[in-house]
């Protein structure tokens, strides 16, 4: 099945609904993009989390996604969209078009994240800023899960047999991805909060201790 058809079904299923980000989270994570002239949101999905806030603080917002179902939903919210080619990861855009880009919880879903990172780099202007996030496979709970159960988190906190995470990044591999894609001045940090008690998630029945 082609990636665009797969993710059409994914969005139709309703299994991946996200809540609108609050103002504090939005400004904490996407601060480098606020006030820019033009921003690409690579893998915008249905545009139901941070997208409308982002569109409101830049002059030009353009979302891009492989799934027509997601793009249609985003357009209904008033967001401009482009199609991501499922074979090449490319978008219909000239080089050096955007001042900034977001790629939020996307690269772990892709068959070829390097192609996507190179495409984002292609359409960014020199000196443009990219904010990208992925789950950290180096997170201690996932390390324990791999050590104790030889399992990987296909989709955190969901059916481990039906997840759509197919690529796994530590901080080191995430850095190397962007280096290989041609980015410079790469900074990797923490996106969310975690505690040492989270290691109990790897034990199964004792997972509630972390809560």
């Amino acid at each position: 099945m082609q990636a665009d058809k797969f993710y059409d079904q994914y969005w139709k299923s309703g299994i991946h609904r996200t809540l609108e980000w609050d103002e504090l989270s939005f400004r904490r994570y996407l601060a480098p993009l606020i006030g820019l002239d033009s921003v690409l949101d690579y893998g915008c999905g249905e545009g139901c989390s941070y997208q409308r806030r982002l569109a409101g603080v830049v002059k030009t917002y353009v979302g891009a996604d492989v799934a027509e179902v997601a793009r249609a939903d985003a357009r209904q919210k008033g967001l401009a969209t482009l199609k991501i080619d499922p074979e090449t990861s490319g978008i219909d855009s000239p080089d050096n078009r955007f001042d900034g880009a977001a790629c939020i919880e996307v690269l772990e879903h892709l068959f070829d994240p390097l192609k996507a990172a190179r495409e984002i780099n292609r359409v960014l202007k020199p000196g443009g800023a990219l904010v990208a996030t992925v789950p950290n496979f180096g997170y201690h709970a996932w390390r324990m899960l791999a050590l104790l159960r030889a399992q990987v988190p296909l989709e955190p906190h969901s059916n481990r047999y039906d997840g759509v995470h197919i690529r796994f990044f530590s901080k080191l591999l995430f850095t190397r991805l962007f280096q290989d894609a041609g980015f410079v001045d790469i900074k990797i940090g923490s996106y969310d909060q975690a505690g040492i008690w989270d290691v109990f998630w790897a034990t199964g029945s004792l997972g509630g201790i972390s809560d």
Side-chain angles (χ1 to χ4, degrees), residues 140-174:
H140 49 264
W142 302 151
R143 287 176 184 262
M144 290 295 292
L145 186 67
L147 177 65
L148 298 177
R149 298 192 168 196
Q151 293 180 3
V152 295
L154 300 179
E155 186 88 66
H157 313 304
S158 70
N159 184 344
R160 296 194 184 281
Y161 300 98
D162 192 34
V164 291
H165 291 185
I166 60 174
R167 295 289 179 263
F168 303 94
F169 298 94
S170 64
K171 289 184 177 181
L172 176 60
L173 289 178
F174 204 42

Side-chain angles (χ1 to χ4, degrees), residues 96-129:
N96 307 325
R97 174 182 175 185
F98 296 97
D99 298 290
C103 187
I104 308 299
E105 303 297 287
V106 172
L107 295 165
E108 70 273 17
H109 296 267
L110 304 184
F111 295 111
D112 194 336
L114 181 56
K115 278 186 180 179
R118 284 173 171 164
E119 179 66 0
I120 296 170
N121 191 42
R122 179 186 71 81
V123 300
L124 275 177
K125 295 177 182 178

Side-chain angles (χ1 to χ4, degrees), residues 124-141:
L124 275 177
K125 295 177 182 178
L130 166 65
V131 178
T133 69
V134 293
N136 178 16
F137 189 62
Y139 166 50
H140 49 264

